[in-house]
Each structure stands twice: as structure tokens, then as C-alpha cells.
Amino acid sequence: MSVRPDNRLEDTPMQQVRCRACTASVTARKSSWDQTTIQWHDDAVEACLERRAASPRPGPNGGTFSGCQELRQSIREAAVAGTLEVVSHEPLPVNPEAAFAGHDQAAH
């Protein structure tokens, strides 16, 4: 079985976003206001203040890093400012804080 390429990135590639707190640089893509894909790079993982402060949780996935709140906020600000394209071209929700609460999906 062959792996099918992800053609979505041809139309709207991931863009660089820098965290406002630690300046870690990741690439991100917002398919909609509710869905964000983040690609962490080794240097960003090392630079992230929240990552360094995170304590491992119990269980087999305890070392998994669920993401950085400061980076999520930086991505949100980039999308609102228009420097990070929102692919769906939906208008900014009336209550943008609700649109971002708990809906972020990160790829590590």
C-alpha cells in the first residue's frame, strides 16, 4: 500500500510562527478557527519555556507534551492579525476566545 500525499499543503503551506514568550519558532497551519496544526522542531522544543517547566505525568504517555499556552496565544494573534492565513476564510468568530478554548490540535 502506498502513502497518499497530503495535497492540502500545496494550496496553503505551513507558515513560521514565533512564540511571543520565548521566541521558539514552529510552523503552523490553521485550517479553520477551530483547527490548528503545529510542527515542532528540535530547536523550538529546546527553547520553549513551558516545555522545560512541564513535569512528566504518570502513565505510558506521561512524557508527552500537550502544548504551550503562550505559543497557542501567539498563533491566535497571528491569525487575527492576518499574518497566519485561516484556510477556511471564515470570519473571525464573534467570541474568538471561545473558538480557541480547548480546540487546538498539535502535531509533535
Side-chain angles (χ1 to χ4, degrees):
M1 177 195 290
S2 64
V3 177
R4 191 173 90 195
D6 187 348
N7 296 331
R8 294 173 297 174
L9 297 178
E10 291 176 10
D11 293 336
T12 308
M14 295 182 81
Q15 297 173 255
Q16 183 179 28
V17 177
R18 194 169 296 278
C19 179
R20 65 187 185 161
C22 68
T23 68
S25 181
V26 300
T27 50
R29 181 178 189 271
K30 287 204 66 61
S31 296
S32 69
W33 289 105
D34 294 328
Q35 200 282 326
T36 304
T37 302
I38 302 170
Q39 179 64 56
W40 285 83
H41 306 285
D42 290 340
D43 57 338
V45 171
E46 292 297 319
C48 179
L49 299 173
E50 286 188 41
R51 166 102 176 154
R52 287 187 283 177
S55 300
R57 298 178 308 260
N61 294 323
T64 303
F65 178 55
S66 63
C68 172
Q69 186 59 40
E70 289 291 334
L71 179 63
R72 276 192 281 277
Q73 186 64 24
S74 298
I75 291 171
R76 176 195 177 283
E77 289 173 1
V80 170
T83 58
L84 178 62
E85 182 180 354
V86 179
V87 178
S88 69
H89 300 290
E90 297 170 358
L92 180 66
V94 175
N95 182 1
E97 295 301 321
F100 287 94
H103 289 90
D104 213 23
Q105 298 176 359
H108 299 271

